[in-house]
Amino acid sequence: MGSAIARAGMTTGASFQKVPKEQLFVSEPDPRMFGNPSNQRLPTWTNTNWLKSRFHFSFAEYNNSKRSCYGSMRVMNDDLVQPQRGFGVHSHRDAEIVTYVVEGELTHKDSMGTAETLGAGSVQFMSAGSGVSHSEHNLHPERPLRFIQMWFDPRRRGVTPNYGSLDGQSIDCTNKWFPLVSDVEGGGGSGGGIKLHQ
């Protein structure tokens, strides 16, 4: 399981650089940091810690000046969350956040009144703007949750917070590129309905 990061600026178009998982920083924080009970040794768990997060760029306890961001993308984390664990209520401000659910179910609740559970292949986005609080959990009793989360710097600070999602069943991207995200001000393609201030 590696990751591909687009590398733009070439006259022949974009290319990709594969970053092997062995080169990614691995974070396994204490469960109490996010409001979780102690880790359990259960046959349904696929990791000994409640969270295994692979960081592509400097984030939290990882600081690498050679991997601080990619253009406006400042976070790209590959998170594995064990059953009935998650991230308790926390706040964001001035960040455009996109999350792709690789496997399992992600339950989101926020201060805008949104509450939903998304399955594999689904995408959610949140413009934190002037400030929003939310939680993200894997409420399934047996299955792990894996998702890729990306944070982008917004074009403007203090925009009105916004949330939206796309059900994975409605996205036809088998063996082809599919534009999931575009600019809220236009000029970036269809974006699959996800519009960011970027």
Side-chain angles (χ1 to χ4, degrees):
M1 176 174 57
S3 279
I5 298 177
R7 183 170 46 191
M10 302 178 71
T11 57
T12 58
S15 65
F16 290 85
Q17 174 188 6
K18 182 176 181 180
V19 180
K21 68 178 181 180
E22 293 79 18
Q23 293 183 16
L24 301 177
F25 181 86
V26 176
S27 176
E28 296 190 277
D30 188 300
R32 295 169 294 181
M33 290 176 62
F34 295 93
N36 291 287
S38 298
N39 290 320
Q40 296 180 295
R41 295 187 182 275
L42 298 173
T44 55
W45 279 37
T46 59
N47 191 55
T48 55
N49 195 50
W50 75 278
L51 172 66
K52 183 175 211 172
S53 187
R54 291 186 171 95
F55 300 163
H56 288 72
F57 309 118
S58 294
F59 185 76
E61 72 272 31
Y62 176 52
N63 190 352
N64 183 341
S65 60
K66 294 181 179 179
R67 288 189 181 170
S68 59
C69 65
Y70 181 76
S72 64
M73 182 190 291
R74 58 187 170 100
V75 172
M76 183 171 172
N77 294 347
D78 184 340
D79 289 350
L80 178 66
V81 182
Q82 296 308 306
Q84 297 184 319
R85 296 295 187 271
F87 302 87
V89 177
H90 58 284
S91 299
H92 293 281
R93 184 181 180 93
D94 293 320
E96 303 291 294
I97 302 171
V98 179
T99 305
Y100 177 80
V101 182
V102 178
E103 64 178 319
E105 296 177 345
L106 172 64
T107 297
H108 166 100
K109 293 182 180 180
D110 64 43
S111 55
M112 295 178 282
T114 310
E116 69 173 343
T117 298
L118 298 168
S122 298
V123 183
Q124 67 168 197
F125 71 96
M126 186 170 69
S127 291
S130 59
V132 65
S133 297
H134 77 136
S135 63
E136 299 163 298
H137 285 92
N138 174 12
L139 299 180
H140 198 280
E142 297 181 345
R143 291 200 302 263
L145 161 68
R146 181 180 166 217
F147 61 89
I148 309 293
Q149 189 165 90
M150 297 157 282
W151 298 9
F152 299 87
D153 289 322
R155 178 187 295 105
R156 286 186 304 278
R157 299 174 70 82
V159 300
T160 302
N162 186 31
Y163 175 88
S165 62
L166 288 174
D167 187 322
Q169 301 299 317
S170 68
I171 303 172
D172 180 17
C173 57
T174 304
N175 297 322
K176 63 182 177 183
W177 291 107
F178 184 85
L180 291 172
V181 180
S182 64
D183 191 335
V184 72
E185 294 185 4
S190 66
I194 296 178
K195 307 288 185 180
L196 300 182
H197 293 276
Q198 182 40 250

mmCIF file of all heavy atoms in Angstrom, residues 33-75:
data_model
loop_
_atom_site.group_PDB
_atom_site.id
_atom_site.type_symbol
_atom_site.label_atom_id
_atom_site.label_comp_id
_atom_site.label_asym_id
_atom_site.label_seq_id
_atom_site.Cartn_x
_atom_site.Cartn_y
_atom_site.Cartn_z
ATOM 1 N N MET A 33 -6.057 10.960 23.717
ATOM 2 C CA MET A 33 -5.913 12.260 23.075
ATOM 3 C C MET A 33 -7.173 12.668 22.313
ATOM 4 O O MET A 33 -7.434 13.847 22.117
ATOM 5 C CB MET A 33 -4.719 12.251 22.111
ATOM 6 C CG MET A 33 -3.372 12.191 22.772
ATOM 7 S SD MET A 33 -2.026 12.075 21.579
ATOM 8 C CE MET A 33 -2.204 13.609 20.695
ATOM 9 N N PHE A 34 -7.946 11.686 21.862
ATOM 10 C CA PHE A 34 -9.138 11.963 21.057
ATOM 11 C C PHE A 34 -10.416 11.443 21.699
ATOM 12 O O PHE A 34 -11.417 11.211 21.024
ATOM 13 C CB PHE A 34 -8.959 11.379 19.647
ATOM 14 C CG PHE A 34 -7.847 12.035 18.879
ATOM 15 C CD1 PHE A 34 -6.570 11.513 18.900
ATOM 16 C CD2 PHE A 34 -8.083 13.202 18.167
ATOM 17 C CE1 PHE A 34 -5.536 12.126 18.194
ATOM 18 C CE2 PHE A 34 -7.060 13.822 17.463
ATOM 19 C CZ PHE A 34 -5.780 13.286 17.484
ATOM 20 N N GLY A 35 -10.377 11.224 23.014
ATOM 21 C CA GLY A 35 -11.580 10.838 23.735
ATOM 22 C C GLY A 35 -11.957 9.379 23.631
ATOM 23 O O GLY A 35 -13.123 9.024 23.827
ATOM 24 N N ASN A 36 -10.994 8.507 23.348
ATOM 25 C CA ASN A 36 -11.261 7.077 23.228
ATOM 26 C C ASN A 36 -10.898 6.332 24.506
ATOM 27 O O ASN A 36 -10.015 6.758 25.250
ATOM 28 C CB ASN A 36 -10.437 6.479 22.084
ATOM 29 C CG ASN A 36 -10.888 6.957 20.735
ATOM 30 O OD1 ASN A 36 -11.938 6.558 20.240
ATOM 31 N ND2 ASN A 36 -10.098 7.827 20.122
ATOM 32 N N PRO A 37 -11.550 5.186 24.761
ATOM 33 C CA PRO A 37 -11.100 4.326 25.859
ATOM 34 C C PRO A 37 -9.768 3.668 25.492
ATOM 35 O O PRO A 37 -9.281 3.815 24.371
ATOM 36 C CB PRO A 37 -12.222 3.294 25.980
ATOM 37 C CG PRO A 37 -12.881 3.281 24.647
ATOM 38 C CD PRO A 37 -12.740 4.666 24.089
ATOM 39 N N SER A 38 -9.200 2.932 26.401
ATOM 40 C CA SER A 38 -7.917 2.257 26.167
ATOM 41 C C SER A 38 -8.025 1.289 24.995
ATOM 42 O O SER A 38 -9.115 0.795 24.659
ATOM 43 C CB SER A 38 -7.492 1.492 27.422
ATOM 44 O OG SER A 38 -7.307 2.378 28.500
ATOM 45 N N ASN A 39 -6.882 0.996 24.394
ATOM 46 C CA ASN A 39 -6.836 0.009 23.315
ATOM 47 C C ASN A 39 -7.254 -1.355 23.844
ATOM 48 O O ASN A 39 -7.045 -1.670 25.015
ATOM 49 C CB ASN A 39 -5.419 -0.077 22.738
ATOM 50 C CG ASN A 39 -5.048 1.162 21.963
ATOM 51 O OD1 ASN A 39 -5.862 1.723 21.236
ATOM 52 N ND2 ASN A 39 -3.802 1.591 22.105
ATOM 53 N N GLN A 40 -7.834 -2.162 22.960
ATOM 54 C CA GLN A 40 -8.256 -3.511 23.323
ATOM 55 C C GLN A 40 -7.610 -4.519 22.398
ATOM 56 O O GLN A 40 -7.315 -4.223 21.243
ATOM 57 C CB GLN A 40 -9.782 -3.628 23.219
ATOM 58 C CG GLN A 40 -10.538 -2.748 24.195
ATOM 59 C CD GLN A 40 -12.031 -2.908 24.031
ATOM 60 O OE1 GLN A 40 -12.585 -2.556 22.994
ATOM 61 N NE2 GLN A 40 -12.681 -3.437 25.051
ATOM 62 N N ARG A 41 -7.385 -5.696 22.902
ATOM 63 C CA ARG A 41 -6.875 -6.780 22.060
ATOM 64 C C ARG A 41 -8.058 -7.655 21.656
ATOM 65 O O ARG A 41 -8.436 -8.572 22.378
ATOM 66 C CB ARG A 41 -5.824 -7.587 22.813
ATOM 67 C CG ARG A 41 -4.570 -6.793 23.138
ATOM 68 C CD ARG A 41 -3.490 -7.676 23.736
ATOM 69 N NE ARG A 41 -2.307 -6.904 24.090
ATOM 70 C CZ ARG A 41 -1.327 -6.599 23.241
ATOM 71 N NH1 ARG A 41 -1.413 -6.994 21.988
ATOM 72 N NH2 ARG A 41 -0.277 -5.923 23.643
ATOM 73 N N LEU A 42 -8.637 -7.319 20.517
ATOM 74 C CA LEU A 42 -9.808 -8.040 20.024
ATOM 75 C C LEU A 42 -9.490 -8.676 18.682
ATOM 76 O O LEU A 42 -8.706 -8.137 17.890
ATOM 77 C CB LEU A 42 -10.983 -7.069 19.863
ATOM 78 C CG LEU A 42 -11.484 -6.382 21.137
ATOM 79 C CD1 LEU A 42 -12.530 -5.338 20.793
ATOM 80 C CD2 LEU A 42 -12.047 -7.409 22.098
ATOM 81 N N PRO A 43 -10.105 -9.816 18.366
ATOM 82 C CA PRO A 43 -9.834 -10.474 17.078
ATOM 83 C C PRO A 43 -10.290 -9.636 15.882
ATOM 84 O O PRO A 43 -9.811 -9.842 14.768
ATOM 85 C CB PRO A 43 -10.620 -11.791 17.173
ATOM 86 C CG PRO A 43 -11.617 -11.576 18.268
ATOM 87 C CD PRO A 43 -11.013 -10.593 19.210
ATOM 88 N N THR A 44 -11.191 -8.680 16.106
ATOM 89 C CA THR A 44 -11.674 -7.841 15.004
ATOM 90 C C THR A 44 -10.739 -6.669 14.706
ATOM 91 O O THR A 44 -10.879 -6.014 13.681
ATOM 92 C CB THR A 44 -13.072 -7.283 15.331
ATOM 93 O OG1 THR A 44 -13.014 -6.594 16.591
ATOM 94 C CG2 THR A 44 -14.101 -8.393 15.403
ATOM 95 N N TRP A 45 -9.779 -6.410 15.597
ATOM 96 C CA TRP A 45 -8.844 -5.305 15.390
ATOM 97 C C TRP A 45 -7.723 -5.742 14.454
ATOM 98 O O TRP A 45 -7.182 -6.836 14.580
ATOM 99 C CB TRP A 45 -8.264 -4.832 16.711
ATOM 100 C CG TRP A 45 -9.168 -3.911 17.471
ATOM 101 C CD1 TRP A 45 -10.527 -3.994 17.558
ATOM 102 C CD2 TRP A 45 -8.780 -2.775 18.255
ATOM 103 N NE1 TRP A 45 -11.014 -2.973 18.343
ATOM 104 C CE2 TRP A 45 -9.970 -2.208 18.790
ATOM 105 C CE3 TRP A 45 -7.570 -2.192 18.569
ATOM 106 C CZ2 TRP A 45 -9.955 -1.090 19.602
ATOM 107 C CZ3 TRP A 45 -7.544 -1.071 19.381
ATOM 108 C CH2 TRP A 45 -8.730 -0.517 19.896
ATOM 109 N N THR A 46 -7.356 -4.876 13.522
ATOM 110 C CA THR A 46 -6.283 -5.167 12.564
ATOM 111 C C THR A 46 -4.991 -4.443 12.919
ATOM 112 O O THR A 46 -4.010 -4.536 12.190
ATOM 113 C CB THR A 46 -6.717 -4.776 11.140
ATOM 114 O OG1 THR A 46 -7.037 -3.371 11.118
ATOM 115 C CG2 THR A 46 -7.921 -5.593 10.690
ATOM 116 N N ASN A 47 -4.995 -3.709 14.026
ATOM 117 C CA ASN A 47 -3.812 -2.988 14.489
ATOM 118 C C ASN A 47 -3.876 -2.935 16.019
ATOM 119 O O ASN A 47 -4.956 -2.924 16.600
ATOM 120 C CB ASN A 47 -3.783 -1.571 13.906
ATOM 121 C CG ASN A 47 -2.463 -0.868 14.142
ATOM 122 O OD1 ASN A 47 -1.407 -1.380 13.774
ATOM 123 N ND2 ASN A 47 -2.503 0.296 14.752
ATOM 124 N N THR A 48 -2.730 -2.903 16.696
ATOM 125 C CA THR A 48 -2.742 -2.892 18.159
ATOM 126 C C THR A 48 -3.181 -1.547 18.728
ATOM 127 O O THR A 48 -3.669 -1.488 19.853
ATOM 128 C CB THR A 48 -1.345 -3.237 18.716
ATOM 129 O OG1 THR A 48 -0.382 -2.335 18.158
ATOM 130 C CG2 THR A 48 -0.976 -4.672 18.363
ATOM 131 N N ASN A 49 -3.001 -0.454 17.975
ATOM 132 C CA ASN A 49 -3.441 0.864 18.424
ATOM 133 C C ASN A 49 -4.724 1.243 17.700
ATOM 134 O O ASN A 49 -4.956 0.847 16.556
ATOM 135 C CB ASN A 49 -2.364 1.920 18.155
ATOM 136 C CG ASN A 49 -2.601 3.212 18.925
ATOM 137 O OD1 ASN A 49 -2.818 3.200 20.133
ATOM 138 N ND2 ASN A 49 -2.601 4.325 18.226
ATOM 139 N N TRP A 50 -5.568 2.050 18.347
ATOM 140 C CA TRP A 50 -6.857 2.454 17.775
ATOM 141 C C TRP A 50 -6.701 3.180 16.442
ATOM 142 O O TRP A 50 -7.567 3.104 15.582
ATOM 143 C CB TRP A 50 -7.607 3.345 18.760
ATOM 144 C CG TRP A 50 -7.050 4.743 18.831
ATOM 145 C CD1 TRP A 50 -5.966 5.158 19.557
ATOM 146 C CD2 TRP A 50 -7.530 5.892 18.140
ATOM 147 N NE1 TRP A 50 -5.738 6.495 19.348
ATOM 148 C CE2 TRP A 50 -6.694 6.974 18.491
ATOM 149 C CE3 TRP A 50 -8.599 6.120 17.263
ATOM 150 C CZ2 TRP A 50 -6.872 8.262 17.995
ATOM 151 C CZ3 TRP A 50 -8.783 7.407 16.760
ATOM 152 C CH2 TRP A 50 -7.923 8.461 17.129
ATOM 153 N N LEU A 51 -5.566 3.894 16.259
ATOM 154 C CA LEU A 51 -5.321 4.660 15.029
ATOM 155 C C LEU A 51 -3.909 4.415 14.542
ATOM 156 O O LEU A 51 -2.942 4.472 15.311
ATOM 157 C CB LEU A 51 -5.500 6.165 15.286
ATOM 158 C CG LEU A 51 -5.090 7.105 14.140
ATOM 159 C CD1 LEU A 51 -6.012 6.923 12.929
ATOM 160 C CD2 LEU A 51 -5.111 8.563 14.611
ATOM 161 N N LYS A 52 -3.802 4.153 13.243
ATOM 162 C CA LYS A 52 -2.506 4.136 12.569
ATOM 163 C C LYS A 52 -2.624 5.122 11.427
ATOM 164 O O LYS A 52 -3.412 4.924 10.501
ATOM 165 C CB LYS A 52 -2.157 2.745 12.043
ATOM 166 C CG LYS A 52 -0.778 2.672 11.394
ATOM 167 C CD LYS A 52 -0.445 1.236 10.995
ATOM 168 C CE LYS A 52 1.049 1.022 11.075
ATOM 169 N NZ LYS A 52 1.376 -0.402 10.884
ATOM 170 N N SER A 53 -1.872 6.211 11.506
ATOM 171 C CA SER A 53 -1.971 7.275 10.513
ATOM 172 C C SER A 53 -0.631 7.439 9.818
ATOM 173 O O SER A 53 0.411 7.581 10.468
ATOM 174 C CB SER A 53 -2.378 8.589 11.195
ATOM 175 O OG SER A 53 -2.637 9.585 10.244
ATOM 176 N N ARG A 54 -0.650 7.424 8.494
ATOM 177 C CA ARG A 54 0.563 7.637 7.703
ATOM 178 C C ARG A 54 0.518 9.062 7.144
ATOM 179 O O ARG A 54 -0.403 9.419 6.418
ATOM 180 C CB ARG A 54 0.654 6.608 6.577
ATOM 181 C CG ARG A 54 0.909 5.194 7.075
ATOM 182 C CD ARG A 54 1.127 4.229 5.906
ATOM 183 N NE ARG A 54 1.584 2.938 6.375
ATOM 184 C CZ ARG A 54 0.767 1.908 6.614
ATOM 185 N NH1 ARG A 54 -0.526 2.031 6.421
ATOM 186 N NH2 ARG A 54 1.256 0.766 7.036
ATOM 187 N N PHE A 55 1.528 9.854 7.491
ATOM 188 C CA PHE A 55 1.589 11.254 7.082
ATOM 189 C C PHE A 55 2.468 11.414 5.840
ATOM 190 O O PHE A 55 3.614 10.987 5.836
ATOM 191 C CB PHE A 55 2.191 12.127 8.186
ATOM 192 C CG PHE A 55 1.434 12.128 9.493
ATOM 193 C CD1 PHE A 55 2.061 12.572 10.646
ATOM 194 C CD2 PHE A 55 0.122 11.708 9.586
ATOM 195 C CE1 PHE A 55 1.399 12.602 11.864
ATOM 196 C CE2 PHE A 55 -0.561 11.718 10.797
ATOM 197 C CZ PHE A 55 0.091 12.172 11.937
ATOM 198 N N HIS A 56 1.931 12.077 4.821
ATOM 199 C CA HIS A 56 2.728 12.406 3.636
ATOM 200 C C HIS A 56 3.546 13.675 3.847
ATOM 201 O O HIS A 56 4.615 13.836 3.257
ATOM 202 C CB HIS A 56 1.825 12.592 2.421
ATOM 203 C CG HIS A 56 1.235 11.317 1.913
ATOM 204 N ND1 HIS A 56 0.238 10.638 2.574
ATOM 205 C CD2 HIS A 56 1.507 10.593 0.808
ATOM 206 C CE1 HIS A 56 -0.079 9.551 1.890
ATOM 207 N NE2 HIS A 56 0.681 9.493 0.829
ATOM 208 N N PHE A 57 3.013 14.590 4.658
ATOM 209 C CA PHE A 57 3.674 15.873 4.896
ATOM 210 C C PHE A 57 3.784 16.128 6.399
ATOM 211 O O PHE A 57 3.148 15.453 7.199
ATOM 212 C CB PHE A 57 2.880 17.016 4.241
ATOM 213 C CG PHE A 57 2.553 16.780 2.802
ATOM 214 C CD1 PHE A 57 1.236 16.690 2.384
ATOM 215 C CD2 PHE A 57 3.549 16.638 1.850
ATOM 216 C CE1 PHE A 57 0.925 16.469 1.054
ATOM 217 C CE2 PHE A 57 3.249 16.411 0.517
ATOM 218 C CZ PHE A 57 1.924 16.325 0.117
ATOM 219 N N SER A 58 4.579 17.142 6.758
ATOM 220 C CA SER A 58 4.717 17.525 8.161
ATOM 221 C C SER A 58 3.343 17.745 8.771
ATOM 222 O O SER A 58 2.519 18.480 8.236
ATOM 223 C CB SER A 58 5.541 18.808 8.270
ATOM 224 O OG SER A 58 6.870 18.597 7.862
ATOM 225 N N PHE A 59 3.107 17.098 9.910
ATOM 226 C CA PHE A 59 1.796 17.167 10.556
ATOM 227 C C PHE A 59 1.940 16.660 11.980
ATOM 228 O O PHE A 59 2.670 15.702 12.232
ATOM 229 C CB PHE A 59 0.788 16.308 9.791
ATOM 230 C CG PHE A 59 -0.619 16.399 10.312
ATOM 231 C CD1 PHE A 59 -1.398 17.514 10.046
ATOM 232 C CD2 PHE A 59 -1.182 15.368 11.049
ATOM 233 C CE1 PHE A 59 -2.711 17.605 10.506
ATOM 234 C CE2 PHE A 59 -2.486 15.441 11.509
ATOM 235 C CZ PHE A 59 -3.251 16.570 11.242
ATOM 236 N N ALA A 60 1.247 17.313 12.914
ATOM 237 C CA ALA A 60 1.277 16.903 14.327
ATOM 238 C C ALA A 60 2.726 16.777 14.801
ATOM 239 O O ALA A 60 3.480 17.739 14.722
ATOM 240 C CB ALA A 60 0.483 15.624 14.521
ATOM 241 N N GLU A 61 3.131 15.572 15.257
ATOM 242 C CA GLU A 61 4.476 15.410 15.810
ATOM 243 C C GLU A 61 5.552 15.227 14.745
ATOM 244 O O GLU A 61 6.746 15.158 15.060
ATOM 245 C CB GLU A 61 4.512 14.227 16.788
ATOM 246 C CG GLU A 61 4.427 12.850 16.142
ATOM 247 C CD GLU A 61 3.021 12.333 15.937
ATOM 248 O OE1 GLU A 61 2.093 13.138 15.730
ATOM 249 O OE2 GLU A 61 2.847 11.096 15.975
ATOM 250 N N TYR A 62 5.160 15.158 13.470
ATOM 251 C CA TYR A 62 6.121 14.951 12.369
ATOM 252 C C TYR A 62 6.501 16.291 11.749
ATOM 253 O O TYR A 62 5.642 17.054 11.310
ATOM 254 C CB TYR A 62 5.496 14.041 11.319
ATOM 255 C CG TYR A 62 6.336 13.822 10.082
ATOM 256 C CD1 TYR A 62 7.659 13.405 10.164
ATOM 257 C CD2 TYR A 62 5.785 14.001 8.820
ATOM 258 C CE1 TYR A 62 8.412 13.172 9.027
ATOM 259 C CE2 TYR A 62 6.523 13.768 7.676
ATOM 260 C CZ TYR A 62 7.840 13.358 7.781
ATOM 261 O OH TYR A 62 8.574 13.138 6.653
ATOM 262 N N ASN A 63 7.803 16.567 11.713
ATOM 263 C CA ASN A 63 8.293 17.819 11.136
ATOM 264 C C ASN A 63 9.435 17.514 10.184
ATOM 265 O O ASN A 63 10.515 17.104 10.606
ATOM 266 C CB ASN A 63 8.752 18.771 12.250
ATOM 267 C CG ASN A 63 9.033 20.169 11.728
ATOM 268 O OD1 ASN A 63 9.023 20.402 10.535
ATOM 269 N ND2 ASN A 63 9.285 21.083 12.638
ATOM 270 N N ASN A 64 9.194 17.705 8.887
ATOM 271 C CA ASN A 64 10.195 17.440 7.858
ATOM 272 C C ASN A 64 10.159 18.588 6.860
ATOM 273 O O ASN A 64 9.199 18.731 6.104
ATOM 274 C CB ASN A 64 9.899 16.104 7.168
ATOM 275 C CG ASN A 64 10.945 15.719 6.139
ATOM 276 O OD1 ASN A 64 11.715 16.552 5.665
ATOM 277 N ND2 ASN A 64 10.970 14.447 5.779
ATOM 278 N N SER A 65 11.189 19.409 6.863
ATOM 279 C CA SER A 65 11.212 20.589 5.993
ATOM 280 C C SER A 65 11.193 20.224 4.514
ATOM 281 O O SER A 65 10.797 21.031 3.677
ATOM 282 C CB SER A 65 12.451 21.442 6.299
ATOM 283 O OG SER A 65 13.639 20.692 6.069
ATOM 284 N N LYS A 66 11.588 18.997 4.169
ATOM 285 C CA LYS A 66 11.568 18.573 2.765
ATOM 286 C C LYS A 66 10.197 18.065 2.337
ATOM 287 O O LYS A 66 9.952 17.848 1.159
ATOM 288 C CB LYS A 66 12.608 17.480 2.537
ATOM 289 C CG LYS A 66 14.040 17.980 2.712
ATOM 290 C CD LYS A 66 15.037 16.880 2.459
ATOM 291 C CE LYS A 66 16.458 17.414 2.627
ATOM 292 N NZ LYS A 66 17.467 16.347 2.418
ATOM 293 N N ARG A 67 9.317 17.850 3.334
ATOM 294 C CA ARG A 67 7.955 17.390 3.036
ATOM 295 C C ARG A 67 6.973 18.209 3.856
ATOM 296 O O ARG A 67 6.305 17.699 4.752
ATOM 297 C CB ARG A 67 7.801 15.911 3.365
ATOM 298 C CG ARG A 67 8.515 14.995 2.412
ATOM 299 C CD ARG A 67 8.148 13.554 2.658
ATOM 300 N NE ARG A 67 8.853 12.683 1.757
ATOM 301 C CZ ARG A 67 8.883 11.366 1.859
ATOM 302 N NH1 ARG A 67 8.230 10.779 2.844
ATOM 303 N NH2 ARG A 67 9.548 10.632 0.999
ATOM 304 N N SER A 68 6.870 19.484 3.530
ATOM 305 C CA SER A 68 5.995 20.365 4.306
ATOM 306 C C SER A 68 4.628 20.544 3.656
ATOM 307 O O SER A 68 3.644 20.800 4.340
ATOM 308 C CB SER A 68 6.657 21.730 4.504
ATOM 309 O OG SER A 68 6.929 22.329 3.247
ATOM 310 N N CYS A 69 4.552 20.407 2.329
ATOM 311 C CA CYS A 69 3.281 20.572 1.620
ATOM 312 C C CYS A 69 3.488 20.229 0.159
ATOM 313 O O CYS A 69 4.607 19.946 -0.272
ATOM 314 C CB CYS A 69 2.754 22.007 1.760
ATOM 315 S SG CYS A 69 3.829 23.233 0.973
ATOM 316 N N TYR A 70 2.419 20.276 -0.614
ATOM 317 C CA TYR A 70 2.502 20.142 -2.070
ATOM 318 C C TYR A 70 1.573 21.197 -2.645
ATOM 319 O O TYR A 70 0.357 21.003 -2.676
ATOM 320 C CB TYR A 70 2.100 18.748 -2.537
ATOM 321 C CG TYR A 70 2.203 18.592 -4.030
ATOM 322 C CD1 TYR A 70 3.451 18.429 -4.637
ATOM 323 C CD2 TYR A 70 1.074 18.632 -4.823
ATOM 324 C CE1 TYR A 70 3.551 18.297 -6.010
ATOM 325 C CE2 TYR A 70 1.174 18.502 -6.201
ATOM 326 C CZ TYR A 70 2.408 18.342 -6.794
ATOM 327 O OH TYR A 70 2.509 18.223 -8.145
ATOM 328 N N GLY A 71 2.136 22.335 -3.027
ATOM 329 C CA GLY A 71 1.304 23.448 -3.465
ATOM 330 C C GLY A 71 0.418 23.895 -2.317
ATOM 331 O O GLY A 71 0.893 24.156 -1.214
ATOM 332 N N SER A 72 -0.876 23.959 -2.577
ATOM 333 C CA SER A 72 -1.816 24.369 -1.525
ATOM 334 C C SER A 72 -2.235 23.206 -0.620
ATOM 335 O O SER A 72 -2.909 23.412 0.381
ATOM 336 C CB SER A 72 -3.067 25.006 -2.152
ATOM 337 O OG SER A 72 -3.757 24.044 -2.925
ATOM 338 N N MET A 73 -1.821 21.973 -0.963
ATOM 339 C CA MET A 73 -2.134 20.819 -0.110
ATOM 340 C C MET A 73 -1.121 20.755 1.023
ATOM 341 O O MET A 73 0.067 20.590 0.797
ATOM 342 C CB MET A 73 -2.094 19.512 -0.900
ATOM 343 C CG MET A 73 -2.461 18.299 -0.053
ATOM 344 S SD MET A 73 -2.140 16.709 -0.872
ATOM 345 C CE MET A 73 -3.383 16.729 -2.146
ATOM 346 N N ARG A 74 -1.605 20.897 2.259
ATOM 347 C CA ARG A 74 -0.677 20.869 3.390
ATOM 348 C C ARG A 74 -0.804 19.619 4.247
ATOM 349 O O ARG A 74 0.038 19.374 5.105
ATOM 350 C CB ARG A 74 -0.816 22.124 4.239
ATOM 351 C CG ARG A 74 -2.180 22.399 4.805
ATOM 352 C CD ARG A 74 -2.198 23.774 5.472
ATOM 353 N NE ARG A 74 -3.513 24.213 5.851
ATOM 354 C CZ ARG A 74 -4.003 24.140 7.081
ATOM 355 N NH1 ARG A 74 -3.292 23.606 8.037
ATOM 356 N NH2 ARG A 74 -5.210 24.585 7.345
ATOM 357 N N VAL A 75 -1.847 18.831 4.041
ATOM 358 C CA VAL A 75 -2.014 17.582 4.779
ATOM 359 C C VAL A 75 -2.533 16.514 3.827
ATOM 360 O O VAL A 75 -3.432 16.772 3.012
ATOM 361 C CB VAL A 75 -3.017 17.750 5.950
ATOM 362 C CG1 VAL A 75 -3.339 16.401 6.589
ATOM 363 C CG2 VAL A 75 -2.498 18.726 6.987
#
